[in-house]
Amino acid sequence: MKKSLLLLIAVLFIFSASPAISSDIFIGTCVYKFNDTHLTEIRKSMLEEMRLQGGEIVFSDGENSQPIQQDQIDGYITKGVDALVIMPIGTTAEYAIEKAKPEDIPVVIVNREPDPEILKTYDKVWYIGSHAEESGLQSGQILVDYFKAHKEADKNKDGKIQYIMLCGEQGHQDTTIRTEYSVKALKDAGFELEELGRDVADWEKVKGFDKMKGFLSSFGVENIEAVISNNDDMALGAIEALKAEGYNSGDNSKFIPVVGVDATSPALEAMEKGELLGTVLNDAYNQGAAAVRIAIKAADGNEINKNTIGYEVTDGKYIWIPYRKVTKENLKEFILNKDLILKPREKF
Ligand code: GAL
Ligand code: CA
């Protein structure tokens, strides 16, 4: 057998949960891209939830390409899936609804928020997400607390915070809203700010590293007082660039506060080592569990409400999973909870 075919079989095997309780539900999941730390954590959570609830789930990698994901949606519908879970690319949520509606297939949208009008066009579509404002405010508040406690962090003593902003993918609500609200939290607390640089690093660690390298050579490490990143991967990339300058490597006199969002496992580790100041939990465990429960319950013809899925449903359409601030003080709790992703859960 060809090596690539063997690999494909291995991948399919890994991603099909063996049912604990037999159910014939088959869920097709479209992921914006596999190479994304937060979405990979959601995938792990979905797989665990499926293992518990029973049934089969398949994941496909959209490679951040709208045409690829559209083909995958068509493929799943042709195969006769019982429900679709979509982590959209561009406007693929609309596409999925358009294709699934005539077949009466429930659609669960996760992560990128679709236009509310689109959700109204189909009674079997739901959106699971988290309020981006919360994550922006919370990451800003982590910096507020830091600058209040560390007067010396205003290195040039000009009464302003000179910062760098690393942005996620353009057109994603988490990028625009987190950027705006992180700055808002600092301003609301009375801080004056000066943005030295801002750039798009598409949620990626490597791009975060490259952009930060560029900012370091333009402004000099001694003139940067904070780094605000829309997610952890880009923050960790920026930290790599700072480490190359001898910063954020354990010496407290050479530390630039960096904040991210997601609370991925590598980010929690970086916090433990004192490299990353703080982050905000983007709750992959609950986002993934809710997605699978809705898909199964809706495919079985049930109503979707707190009694059937265990999560509050707003306006019949939205499942909002709260963000939580992660700081040095409560870090242990999050590290312990991370293990829950792979632990058996409650049968629902
Ligand atoms: C965001 C998350 C990012 C990335 C993105 C993908 O919510 O913070 O790390 O996963 O979703 O769309
Ligand atoms: Ca300053």
Side-chain angles (χ1 to χ4, degrees):
M1 215 180 288
K2 264 188 159 163
K3 211 170 166 194
S4 57
L5 189 58
L6 276 172
L7 190 71
L8 180 72
I9 291 171
V11 168
L12 287 175
F13 181 73
I14 291 165
F15 292 125
S16 11
S18 49
I21 294 125
S22 59
S23 130
D24 51 6
I25 298 282
F26 179 47
I27 302 178
T29 307
C30 290
V31 183
Y32 142 81
K33 62 179 183 188
F34 277 5
N35 185 18
D36 179 283
T37 313
H38 171 63
L39 297 187
T40 300
E41 293 190 347
I42 295 182
R43 252 195 301 151
K44 281 189 191 163
S45 173
M46 290 180 69
L47 194 59
E48 274 313 295
E49 188 69 23
M50 201 69 200
R51 204 162 263 154
L52 178 72
Q53 310 296 348
E56 200 183 334
I57 191 160
V58 181
F59 297 91
S60 50
D61 183 355
E63 300 169 41
N64 196 13
S65 153
Q66 190 156 327
I68 291 181
Q69 193 169 72
Q70 290 182 177
D71 279 352
Q72 291 167 341
I73 292 167
D74 291 338
Y76 281 143
I77 291 178
T78 309
K79 273 195 200 114
V81 292
D82 300 300
L84 283 170
V85 176
I86 312 285
M87 301 174 205
I89 303 159
T91 55
T92 53
E94 282 88 321
Y95 185 85
I97 294 168
E98 208 181 285
K99 293 293 173 113
K101 192 178 167 185
E103 310 290 329
D104 203 35
I105 300 170
V107 180
V108 186
I109 314 280
V110 186
N111 187 257
R112 190 191 272 257
E113 192 177 339
D115 181 337
E117 292 306 313
I118 299 293
L119 296 187
K120 287 186 197 148
T121 63
Y122 186 29
D123 59 343
K124 288 190 182 165
V125 60
W126 293 269
Y127 172 69
I128 300 169
S130 302
H131 290 295
E133 293 84 354
E134 273 175 26
S135 54
L137 287 174
Q138 291 177 7
S139 66
Q141 282 156 4
I142 294 171
L143 283 175
V144 166
D145 291 342
Y146 181 83
F147 279 96
K148 280 188 178 160
H150 295 268
K151 301 287 175 218
E152 77 286 0
D154 177 11
K155 295 191 282 194
N156 61 355
K157 310 257 173 289
D158 68 345
K160 292 183 198 163
I161 302 172
Q162 275 75 25
Y163 72 96
I164 299 292
M165 178 70 75
L166 292 175
C167 301
E169 208 188 23
Q170 275 179 311
H172 193 302
Q173 80 279 352
D174 288 343
T175 298
T176 17
I177 301 176
R178 284 177 191 162
T179 300
E180 179 185 344
Y181 279 76
S182 51
V183 166
K184 186 178 184 314
L186 282 151
K187 286 191 176 152
D188 288 353
F191 286 98
E192 270 195 67
L193 300 173
E194 183 187 345
E195 189 171 89
L196 291 180
R198 169 188 296 207
D199 213 337
V200 174
D202 292 324
W203 308 120
E204 292 175 15
K205 183 173 176 179
V206 176
K207 289 191 188 167
F209 173 81
D210 289 343
K211 300 290 174 186
M212 192 64 201
K213 272 264 179 220
F215 290 133
L216 284 164
S217 68
S218 312
F219 306 110
V221 69
E222 63 287 353
N223 298 315
I224 297 171
E225 296 175 342
V227 178
I228 306 175
S229 173
N230 288 163
N231 82 342
D232 286 343
D233 276 354
M234 299 185 296
L236 295 179
I239 287 172
E240 285 310 311
L242 288 170
K243 280 180 165 173
E245 304 269 335
Y247 273 71
N248 293 48
S249 315
D251 174 354
N252 280 343
S253 68
K254 285 186 160 189
F255 179 77
I256 293 175
V258 180
V259 289
V261 175
D262 283 341
T264 62
S265 297
L268 297 179
E269 265 171 45
M271 280 184 70
E272 253 187 324
K273 289 194 250 165
E275 298 168 355
L276 175 71
L277 176 67
T279 184
V280 176
L281 175 73
N282 192 2
D283 193 342
Y285 171 89
N286 281 304
Q287 290 164 357
V292 166
R293 288 185 192 175
I294 297 175
I296 293 179
K297 294 291 172 173
D300 268 342
N302 297 285
E303 264 194 40
I304 299 302
N305 54 45
K306 177 122 198 223
N307 291 331
T308 56
I309 63 161
Y311 292 92
E312 207 72 60
V313 182
T314 308
D315 299 333
K317 292 277 176 207
Y318 291 91
I319 295 79
W320 293 114
I321 307 292
Y323 278 109
R324 287 185 61 201
K325 214 193 282 180
V326 187
T327 60
K328 214 167 38 190
E329 287 68 37
N330 64 6
L331 177 62
K332 279 269 150 359
E333 180 202 327
F334 289 91
I335 290 175
L336 290 174
N337 276 335
K338 269 286 163 190
D339 297 340
L340 284 176
I341 286 192
L342 296 171
K343 271 188 199 154
R345 304 132 187 253
E346 205 185 315
K347 171 93 176 97
F348 213 82

